[in-house]
Amino acid sequence: MNHKKLLIEPLRKANPVTVLVLGICSCLAVTAQLKPALVMGASVTVVTALSNFIISLLRKGIPNRIRIIVQLVVVATLVILIDQFLKAFAYDVSKRLSVYVGLIITNCIIMGRLEAFALSHGPWESFLDGLGNGLGYSLILVIVAFFRELLGSGTLLGYQVIPQSFYEAGYQNNGLMILPPMALIIIGIIIWINNRKTESK
Amino acid sequence: MSLFNLFLKSVFLDNMIFAYFLGMCSYLAVSKTVKTSAGLGLAVTFVLVVTVPVNYLVNKYLLAPGALAWINPSWASLDLSFLTYIIFIAIIAAIVQILEMIIETFTPALHSALGIFLPLIAVNCAILGCSLFMQERGFSNVGEAAVFGLGSGIGWLLAIVAIAAIREKLRYSKIPKGLDGVGISFIITGLMGIAFMAFMGIKL
């Protein structure tokens, strides 16, 4: 398999969120605004890529029966590093993400890629695969967060995008968009569009 | 807050699925029939009731800032809370393993009902999430932690059984092409979440 394909495929055709339905668990709550979603996406990408790389290096030495525990330990260590890093350099975002940083450990994308890919491929390929899947996941997070922040608060990354004159003319922010259930509905619509597109090709 | 209020709050107001999206993967993957989803829901509740109090004790006596003072007063300045994730996940994995062995030995009937789900639960976000929320909210005793675990588990059970029942009925309805399967499950979960928000006005 060529390397470029490993990186590009998870973005559209084999997107972990919309096609394989993995890893929706922990992270929809962070998509009410764009900034936490970007940070979350970046954190997950780093953890997926590095854990894939490390497990792939260790794959010949791990006894099959205890591999889940070994994987969990590697992933948990990486997540602790990310958590400490965020606390040191981006404290407000880290507060906003609260427990969801910790929940990266049980993100199914990471375990899924470790089991399905890293255990049977070389380190460099696994690294690229992890990177691709992390980016595919971030892509969905960012799309959802974009619509939720734009329609829900009228801002992007905290800057006001919808001009004040709109509000004076009677435009109102859609308060429903900020509430958690809308994230699910937006994902449902993304899956719908994605399915229609891949079908018509 | 009394224990009963805490229970109601964790079942309805802070529902694991509808308010926090925890455990969505197994929620979507296993909710095809009511029977299997009830089995998984029971297993999750069971594991939560055991793991949350255990993690509460571990957090209180080992991990929280200054928690080690009961061993040696000079250790009161230690703070091991950065180890939280790795300790919690290890405890959860170990407890799930032990529970599986106990259930297999003493109640084979329950084991054949829950058996295939138990290993899956170790990596279910709802379990780790519940322990982390417990840590964040700082309950005052083990009883509260246990009730919180029980309530969250039952809330999860309720959600997965409800979506499974809806999906069984959905098989007979006409869904736009491309939306059937996962897409419609997401949208229905979203609508159910909006319905659950009706509980939010309740003051306990």
Side-chain angles (χ1 to χ4, degrees):
Chain A
M1 217 192 282
N2 70 35
H3 289 167
K4 204 176 155 199
K5 205 172 149 202
L6 279 177
L7 200 57
I8 299 299
E9 202 144 76
L11 289 182
R12 274 291 311 281
K13 241 187 274 166
N15 189 293
V17 178
T18 57
V19 181
L20 308 175
V21 206
L22 288 177
I24 332 123
C25 325
S26 49
C27 302
L28 286 184
V30 305
T31 53
Q33 282 172 327
L34 202 51
K35 197 175 163 200
L38 281 172
V39 174
M40 190 73 192
S43 315
V44 171
T45 310
V46 171
V47 175
T48 345
L50 288 182
S51 63
N52 251 9
F53 179 71
I54 294 172
I55 291 292
S56 169
L57 282 179
L58 295 173
R59 70 184 190 280
K60 299 217 172 82
I62 302 174
N64 202 29
R65 291 190 55 184
I66 59 158
R67 66 177 196 284
I68 303 261
I69 301 268
V70 175
Q71 290 164 1
L72 280 177
V73 170
V74 170
V75 176
T77 314
L78 288 169
V79 171
I80 290 176
L81 288 178
I82 296 266
D83 185 42
Q84 297 291 321
F85 182 83
L86 286 181
K87 271 188 188 146
F89 294 103
Y91 190 71
D92 52 327
V93 180
S94 148
K95 269 276 159 259
R96 179 93 54 79
L97 292 175
S98 70
V99 301
Y100 292 97
V101 178
L103 288 173
I104 297 176
I105 299 172
T106 48
N107 193 317
C108 331
I109 294 176
I110 297 175
M111 293 303 280
R113 287 334 285 172
L114 290 179
E115 285 282 302
F117 198 91
L119 283 176
S120 52
H121 291 79
W124 176 238
E125 284 155 353
S126 305
F127 180 77
L128 287 178
D129 179 76
L131 201 62
N133 277 284
L135 289 176
Y137 168 85
S138 315
L139 182 72
I140 301 294
L141 271 196
V142 168
I143 294 176
V144 175
F146 176 81
F147 284 111
R148 283 182 74 188
E149 190 174 352
L150 183 68
L151 300 175
S153 330
T155 57
L156 283 177
L157 285 169
Y159 299 105
Q160 192 168 353
V161 190
I162 294 177
Q164 194 60 38
S165 54
F166 276 42
Y167 289 103
E168 279 153 17
Y171 175 84
Q172 283 198 337
N173 287 326
N174 184 351
L176 197 61
M177 275 293 176
I178 308 199
L179 302 176
M182 281 315 287
L184 291 166
I185 294 180
I186 294 177
I187 293 242
I189 294 169
I190 294 177
I191 291 177
W192 189 11
I193 295 170
N194 200 30
N195 279 352
R196 295 298 291 185
K197 267 195 176 161
T198 37
E199 254 169 41
S200 59
K201 258 179 201 162
Chain B
M1 197 189 287
S2 79
L3 288 182
F4 184 66
N5 282 354
L6 182 66
F7 176 75
L8 282 187
K9 191 168 182 294
S10 48
V11 174
F12 294 108
L13 273 74
D14 293 341
N15 189 291
M16 277 288 153
I17 298 266
F18 299 127
Y20 299 116
F21 312 114
L22 295 181
M24 287 292 292
C25 306
S26 27
Y27 169 82
L28 288 168
V30 186
S31 64
K32 293 212 172 75
T33 62
V34 171
K35 208 176 157 213
T36 48
S37 57
L40 180 68
L42 278 179
V44 167
T45 312
F46 199 57
V47 173
L48 274 177
V49 171
V50 182
T51 54
V52 175
V54 171
N55 279 340
Y56 176 82
L57 292 175
V58 169
N59 183 48
K60 190 167 181 192
Y61 292 109
L62 291 176
L63 297 174
L68 289 171
W70 62 277
I71 303 177
N72 186 338
S74 60
W75 290 354
S77 59
L78 288 177
D79 178 5
L80 294 182
S81 53
F82 66 93
L83 286 175
T84 302
Y85 299 146
I86 205 162
I87 300 271
F88 277 9
I89 195 76
I91 286 176
I92 288 169
I95 285 180
V96 168
Q97 195 76 53
I98 293 168
L99 274 182
E100 195 185 355
M101 289 196 274
I102 292 176
I103 292 176
E104 194 174 10
T105 322
F106 292 107
T107 52
L110 188 63
H111 184 257
S112 59
L114 299 184
I116 48 164
F117 300 122
L118 279 173
L120 277 179
I121 285 178
V123 288
N124 187 324
C125 342
I127 311 283
L128 181 64
C130 201
S131 286
L132 293 174
F133 277 127
M134 174 274 296
Q135 191 197 30
E136 201 184 61
R137 287 179 199 172
F139 292 120
S140 56
N141 58 48
V142 186
E144 282 185 7
V147 169
F148 178 65
L150 178 69
S152 304
I154 288 181
W156 203 87
L157 172 76
L158 210 73
I160 195 172
V161 170
I163 188 94
I166 293 176
R167 283 179 80 171
E168 280 191 0
K169 288 282 169 203
L170 269 186
R171 259 177 250 150
Y172 308 107
S173 27
K174 200 161 168 285
I175 300 164
K177 222 172 149 210
L179 193 60
D180 48 345
V182 186
I184 194 76
S185 311
F186 269 109
I187 291 182
I188 287 173
T189 311
L191 293 176
M192 285 163 78
I194 293 176
F196 258 70
M197 292 183 82
F199 291 113
M200 279 205 178
I202 299 174
K203 284 234 162 37
L204 290 174

